[in-house]
PDB file of all heavy atoms in Angstrom:
ATOM      1  N   ALA D 121     -28.900   1.539   3.316  1.00 98.00           N
ATOM      2  CA  ALA D 121     -28.804   0.169   2.813  1.00 98.00           C
ATOM      3  C   ALA D 121     -27.402  -0.379   2.968  1.00 98.00           C
ATOM      4  O   ALA D 121     -27.187  -1.592   2.927  1.00 98.00           O
ATOM      5  CB  ALA D 121     -29.205   0.143   1.335  1.00 98.00           C
ATOM      6  N   ALA D 122     -26.441   0.524   3.122  1.00 98.00           N
ATOM      7  CA  ALA D 122     -25.048   0.116   3.271  1.00 98.00           C
ATOM      8  C   ALA D 122     -24.304   1.147   4.102  1.00 98.00           C
ATOM      9  O   ALA D 122     -24.708   2.318   4.199  1.00 98.00           O
ATOM     10  CB  ALA D 122     -24.386  -0.040   1.904  1.00 98.00           C
ATOM     11  N   VAL D 123     -23.205   0.690   4.693  1.00 98.00           N
ATOM     12  CA  VAL D 123     -22.233   1.553   5.365  1.00 98.00           C
ATOM     13  C   VAL D 123     -20.931   1.409   4.594  1.00 98.00           C
ATOM     14  O   VAL D 123     -20.457   0.286   4.365  1.00 98.00           O
ATOM     15  CB  VAL D 123     -22.019   1.137   6.830  1.00 98.00           C
ATOM     16  CG1 VAL D 123     -20.832   1.891   7.435  1.00 98.00           C
ATOM     17  CG2 VAL D 123     -23.276   1.374   7.647  1.00 98.00           C
ATOM     18  N   VAL D 124     -20.351   2.530   4.162  1.00 98.00           N
ATOM     19  CA  VAL D 124     -19.039   2.484   3.542  1.00 98.00           C
ATOM     20  C   VAL D 124     -18.079   3.273   4.422  1.00 98.00           C
ATOM     21  O   VAL D 124     -18.356   4.415   4.796  1.00 98.00           O
ATOM     22  CB  VAL D 124     -19.058   3.026   2.090  1.00 98.00           C
ATOM     23  CG1 VAL D 124     -19.506   4.478   2.022  1.00 98.00           C
ATOM     24  CG2 VAL D 124     -17.698   2.848   1.431  1.00 98.00           C
ATOM     25  N   GLN D 125     -16.963   2.641   4.759  1.00 98.00           N
ATOM     26  CA  GLN D 125     -16.041   3.221   5.735  1.00 98.00           C
ATOM     27  C   GLN D 125     -14.665   3.408   5.123  1.00 98.00           C
ATOM     28  O   GLN D 125     -14.020   2.459   4.681  1.00 98.00           O
ATOM     29  CB  GLN D 125     -15.938   2.304   6.963  1.00 98.00           C
ATOM     30  CG  GLN D 125     -15.044   2.862   8.057  1.00 98.00           C
ATOM     31  CD  GLN D 125     -15.054   2.008   9.311  1.00 98.00           C
ATOM     32  OE1 GLN D 125     -15.629   0.917   9.339  1.00 98.00           O
ATOM     33  NE2 GLN D 125     -14.416   2.503  10.360  1.00 98.00           N
ATOM     34  N   GLY D 126     -14.225   4.660   5.104  1.00 97.00           N
ATOM     35  CA  GLY D 126     -12.894   4.991   4.608  1.00 97.00           C
ATOM     36  C   GLY D 126     -12.199   5.955   5.546  1.00 97.00           C
ATOM     37  O   GLY D 126     -12.822   6.545   6.427  1.00 97.00           O
ATOM     38  N   TYR D 127     -10.901   6.157   5.319  1.00 95.00           N
ATOM     39  CA  TYR D 127     -10.126   7.040   6.186  1.00 95.00           C
ATOM     40  C   TYR D 127     -10.596   8.488   6.070  1.00 95.00           C
ATOM     41  O   TYR D 127     -10.879   8.992   4.978  1.00 95.00           O
ATOM     42  CB  TYR D 127      -8.640   6.977   5.828  1.00 95.00           C
ATOM     43  CG  TYR D 127      -7.822   8.031   6.530  1.00 95.00           C
ATOM     44  CD1 TYR D 127      -7.517   7.902   7.874  1.00 95.00           C
ATOM     45  CD2 TYR D 127      -7.409   9.174   5.856  1.00 95.00           C
ATOM     46  CE1 TYR D 127      -6.798   8.884   8.541  1.00 95.00           C
ATOM     47  CE2 TYR D 127      -6.677  10.160   6.510  1.00 95.00           C
ATOM     48  CZ  TYR D 127      -6.379  10.009   7.854  1.00 95.00           C
ATOM     49  OH  TYR D 127      -5.680  10.990   8.505  1.00 95.00           O
ATOM     50  N   GLY D 128     -10.673   9.156   7.206  1.00 94.00           N
ATOM     51  CA  GLY D 128     -10.942  10.585   7.274  1.00 94.00           C
ATOM     52  C   GLY D 128     -10.367  11.121   8.565  1.00 94.00           C
ATOM     53  O   GLY D 128     -10.593  10.531   9.629  1.00 94.00           O
ATOM     54  N   PRO D 129      -9.610  12.202   8.532  1.00 93.00           N
ATOM     55  CA  PRO D 129      -8.965  12.701   9.750  1.00 93.00           C
ATOM     56  C   PRO D 129      -9.944  13.197  10.805  1.00 93.00           C
ATOM     57  O   PRO D 129      -9.575  13.336  11.969  1.00 93.00           O
ATOM     58  CB  PRO D 129      -8.075  13.846   9.238  1.00 93.00           C
ATOM     59  CG  PRO D 129      -8.691  14.263   7.947  1.00 93.00           C
ATOM     60  CD  PRO D 129      -9.273  13.022   7.352  1.00 93.00           C
ATOM     61  N   ASP D 130     -11.204  13.428  10.415  1.00 94.00           N
ATOM     62  CA  ASP D 130     -12.185  13.940  11.374  1.00 94.00           C
ATOM     63  C   ASP D 130     -13.210  12.886  11.793  1.00 94.00           C
ATOM     64  O   ASP D 130     -14.209  13.218  12.449  1.00 94.00           O
ATOM     65  CB  ASP D 130     -12.915  15.145  10.778  1.00 94.00           C
ATOM     66  CG  ASP D 130     -11.971  16.296  10.475  1.00 94.00           C
ATOM     67  OD1 ASP D 130     -11.056  16.528  11.300  1.00 94.00           O
ATOM     68  OD2 ASP D 130     -12.136  16.938   9.422  1.00 94.00           O
ATOM     69  N   VAL D 131     -12.982  11.635  11.439  1.00 96.00           N
ATOM     70  CA  VAL D 131     -13.907  10.571  11.851  1.00 96.00           C
ATOM     71  C   VAL D 131     -13.881  10.456  13.378  1.00 96.00           C
ATOM     72  O   VAL D 131     -12.821  10.364  13.993  1.00 96.00           O
ATOM     73  CB  VAL D 131     -13.515   9.222  11.214  1.00 96.00           C
ATOM     74  CG1 VAL D 131     -14.323   8.079  11.827  1.00 96.00           C
ATOM     75  CG2 VAL D 131     -13.731   9.271   9.711  1.00 96.00           C
ATOM     76  N   GLY D 132     -15.078  10.444  13.988  1.00 96.00           N
ATOM     77  CA  GLY D 132     -15.169  10.386  15.448  1.00 96.00           C
ATOM     78  C   GLY D 132     -16.207   9.398  15.926  1.00 96.00           C
ATOM     79  O   GLY D 132     -16.820   8.664  15.145  1.00 96.00           O
ATOM     80  N   TRP D 133     -16.423   9.409  17.235  1.00 97.00           N
ATOM     81  CA  TRP D 133     -17.297   8.423  17.873  1.00 97.00           C
ATOM     82  C   TRP D 133     -18.720   8.493  17.337  1.00 97.00           C
ATOM     83  O   TRP D 133     -19.351   7.447  17.115  1.00 97.00           O
ATOM     84  CB  TRP D 133     -17.304   8.661  19.383  1.00 97.00           C
ATOM     85  CG  TRP D 133     -18.155   7.662  20.123  1.00 97.00           C
ATOM     86  CD1 TRP D 133     -17.777   6.458  20.612  1.00 97.00           C
ATOM     87  CD2 TRP D 133     -19.555   7.799  20.438  1.00 97.00           C
ATOM     88  NE1 TRP D 133     -18.836   5.820  21.201  1.00 97.00           N
ATOM     89  CE2 TRP D 133     -19.946   6.626  21.105  1.00 97.00           C
ATOM     90  CE3 TRP D 133     -20.509   8.795  20.200  1.00 97.00           C
ATOM     91  CZ2 TRP D 133     -21.246   6.419  21.561  1.00 97.00           C
ATOM     92  CZ3 TRP D 133     -21.809   8.588  20.639  1.00 97.00           C
ATOM     93  CH2 TRP D 133     -22.171   7.413  21.313  1.00 97.00           C
TER      94      TRP D 133
END
Side-chain angles (χ1 to χ4, degrees):
V123 170
V124 61
Q125 183 175 7
Y127 170 75
D130 298 321
V131 170
W133 182 89

